Amino acid sequence: MERPAPLILRAATGLRRAVGVLGHAMGLVAGWGFVLCAFFITFDVLARSILRVSTQSTTEITGYMLAFGLSWGLAHTLTQRSHVRIDMLVNRLPQRIRIWLHLLSLLALGVFMAFIANGAWDLVDESLLFNATDISLLRTPLAIPQGLWAAGMVVFLVLIACMLVENLLLAILGDARQVERNLSSRGYDEEAQEALEALGVTETKP
Amino acid sequence: MLVVFLGLSLTGTGGGVDVPISAVLLLLGVFGGFFAAGIYVGAALGVLGLLAGFAFSDRPFWTFLGQTAWSPSSSFVLVAVPLFLLMGEILLRAGLSERLYRALNLWLNRMPGGLLHTNIVASGVFSAISGSSVATAATMGSVAMPFFQGRGYDPKMVMGSLAAGGALGNLIPPGITFIIYALITETSVGALYLAAVGPSILVMGLFIAVILLKKNAAPPPGPVIPLGEKIRGLVGLIPTILLILIVLGTIYAGLATPTESAALGVVAAIGIAVVERRFSFRMLHASAEATARNTAMIGLILLGAYVLNYVITMLGVPQMMAGLVSGLPLPPWAIMALIIGFYLALGTFMEGFSMIITTIPVIFPVVTALGYDPIWFGVVVTMLVEIALISPPDGTVLYVLQGLRKDGGAIGDVFAGVLPFVAVYILAIVLMMIMPDIALWLPRAAGP
Amino acid sequence: QPQITIQAVTQPTPAIPQYTRVDIPLLRDGLPAASNGRIRVNLAAWPERNLNGPEIIRLVRSGQVEIGAVPLNTVAGDVPLLDMVDLAGLNPTIGQARQVAEALMPEVNRGLERFGVRVIAMAPYPAQVLFCRERANSLADLRGRRIRTGGGSINDFVAAVGGQAVGIGFPEVYAALERGVADCAITGTGSGNGARWYEVTTHMYALPVAWSTYGYFINLAWWNRLDAPARDLITGTFARIQDEQWKLGDAASEDGIACNIGDRANCSIGRLVENRPMTVSRPTPEDLQTLRGILSNNVLPAFVRRCGAACGETYNRIVAPISGTRYEAR
Ligand code: NA
Ligand code: NA
């Protein structure tokens, strides 16, 4: 029988979940963005060769799509524990050391993303100051794609901060197993489950 | 390799340089520490860049990180990556990759190494359309990996052969590296493409030899399959061949650029799934989600790599090291061997593209002064970039493959698996040094 | 006197003559020599610093480098006024391109002041002409063709002649021309030679659409901190660089044509094309007349729409007396 978690921990977990849900939704939007991007380019290629008309902006638009998809998927990927770490050595250490290395890893990610997210907002700010556009036919104001891109970075940073607080509390309270569950890389069973689902094995083999 | 640079640092030939070579070594040490501690790879690269910047730069470099991160995020060169990833996810869920491999297996199951060969051959075919190694590895990885699940193949060799196959992406024409090399050095893209044919065949042959030698990596040969069944099995290849024709054909017919053809591939894959009655909204949704996840996974590493790149190029580290190597009083072949060693060392912690972009302007005049053929060197450099992409610990292709992996194994498998292939790739370069005609006979025979 | 170290990033590739024949001898080597070693210059081409071009004003602004050069069209997304110097069809001769550039310099610097940068010199690339896979003898031949541009007002020009502007990243252009994804591409006569486009195109239509005029941008805060002797030295150096670059631009324009058509006697800067040289067509007076019409009817109005009405007035006040074509609001 576990004792109820302290209020502060429950608050941290709740906050982390809320940001995680937001990140998940953003990840799905990012994925569908790529699908739309594929159809958009295909449309442009066909229109160009059959109708001889073109939006003439596929290079720019798809570039923005990549930036958007990349950054909006970051938080979701962290929740799915799919960002790459080299944990060969870490996994051989005892759990009580391991969880601190998990936290250190998350902290390093937080520091790095703090610089990037800050730089991203400065970039948007600068683009607003310049009233900058690209030089394609569309003259897209750069602050729009850059702003969306920066937003993804910020949500990612906030999620990292929430996870850091939550798991630091867990570590201090001595719940190492939960930290391990939250922060270690994806395990065999999860990956295998996904692969089987993707292959549709469960459907085709009675 | 470190020994060489330690030796160089003692000779003290680097005049007018702000970063001491010992500092470069220290950074390499910190880098190793980060990896050992299991820091996220993207964060390890990025934080290393920040540390180097704060230690050595007299510029407010952090005020430029937004732009530094924006460039690769919106780069047209990388747009093809998520599109090919998406295509791979759809093919996987539509059961097409399964059918492709089943058909190939009918023909290859008696060969030692079995389906591992298809990783190389299929990557080679894909490389002939794609100009990007990361895209090649991403596509072939997502198509091939599920098939090896639970079939008795050694995961090390599966991952190693896929990485090796990915490292053909730029070498087999077309390739982005050749185009950039040609731009910087004013050599002919066409001649470079021709010169790459011989080495491509050589490298693929060596890869196949590696697999043949490691015959324990594949399950024992299956029963003899009657020819009729083999031929019937070819039907399974039709959708994939159709898809290749669409992607390849539109490029060759001048209807689309390689980047655009990736998008056509996605739409065609959806079309094939619809025709095969394997399409569903849920399946597309799952493909989209997986694409977003894998793109972000690769993206975080790229962000870190670009920050590190920005800082070390701003500090002039690659140029300094290149100048050091090329200024030594040694015979031409020894300088060339050092240059190759220098790229191999640099490739362990630098991204391939920026590696050539920043160093070729320094190295190239030395190479031509030594009497080496610029076309030959372009091929060698491309091979070195490819090696950088698959050499641990910082090889983009390796992380892409690890990210696509479904069996939950450690990245150590990937590292260990790719090493024999890296070794024969280096062997290929040595052979080219001994026999430059491996590259040069074709442009001479077919040249204008 | 304190030592001064200058970081400078100037050309899109390190192999072009603008870099090897002017920037290296005058800026990288000349300035330290003239200052008796007091000023040190770390010069690099864009790729050596991993740069693409559009970010260069911001690079200078943030103090990463003191001096950065970039074509004005490339950064016109940040500062639309910069486009005015080198609008498509504005300058039929390189002499006029220089006159316009010098006349606009004070105005450009007033506009740039609030961003913390200024232009210290402007210079051209060789004439921007059309490299085509098929016969192209006149503007009329461009109708319906897919033409790769670097963006900016050249897109308006292409649209006006009935062509279709396609945006393809520079590294993909060679392959795009080879496969016919683009029918033509616009770049400098010498630049196309350097990028070996003659391997994948057959006809050069030598209408000088523009000059890809670029500016050497400097960080204003740094400039204001410099002492007077250093500033004088640098100003003098850039005056010489500017002179040399305009001379080179002029020479390289004709040289590029000569090299691409295999005219050995007149090809000394670029690479002589011996196998399958290109065919060149010169613009007729009618074509130049049409180009002028396109400037006033298409290019100028589109430019003012992007840049604002004030830019139209500036144009009429400073540039129209030189070009002889006024901007009419409609
Ligand atoms: Na290729
Ligand atoms: Na590497």
Side-chain angles (χ1 to χ4, degrees), chain B residues 56-79:
Chain B
F56 301 112
S57 174
D58 58 345
R59 310 280 151 163
F61 75 96
W62 60 92
T63 61
F64 205 61
L65 291 182
Q67 187 73 52
T68 306
W70 172 251
S71 302
S73 298
S74 57
S75 151
F76 85 97
V77 175
L78 298 171
V79 170

Side-chain angles (χ1 to χ4, degrees), chain B residues 59-61 63-64 67 76 179 183-184 186-190 251-252 254 256 258-259 310 313 319 354 357-358 361 448, chain C residues 5 7 14-15 47-50 55 58-59 62-64 66 169-172 174 179-181 194-196 199 271 275:
Chain B
R59 310 280 151 163
F61 75 96
T63 61
F64 205 61
Q67 187 73 52
F76 85 97
I179 293 174
L183 270 182
I184 299 178
E186 300 197 3
T187 43
S188 158
V189 180
I251 299 174
Y252 274 78
T259 308
Y310 175 71
T313 52
Q319 288 100 326
S354 25
I357 283 173
T358 52
Chain C
T5 304
Q7 296 281 353
E48 294 174 88
R49 292 280 182 278
N50 234 341
E55 72 277 58
R58 299 174 188 223
L59 185 81
S62 73
Q64 311 294 318
E66 281 75 28
F170 197 81
E172 276 193 319
Y174 180 97
R179 300 271 166 239
V181 174
R196 295 222 177 207
E199 292 177 346
R271 180 187 296 265
N275 302 306

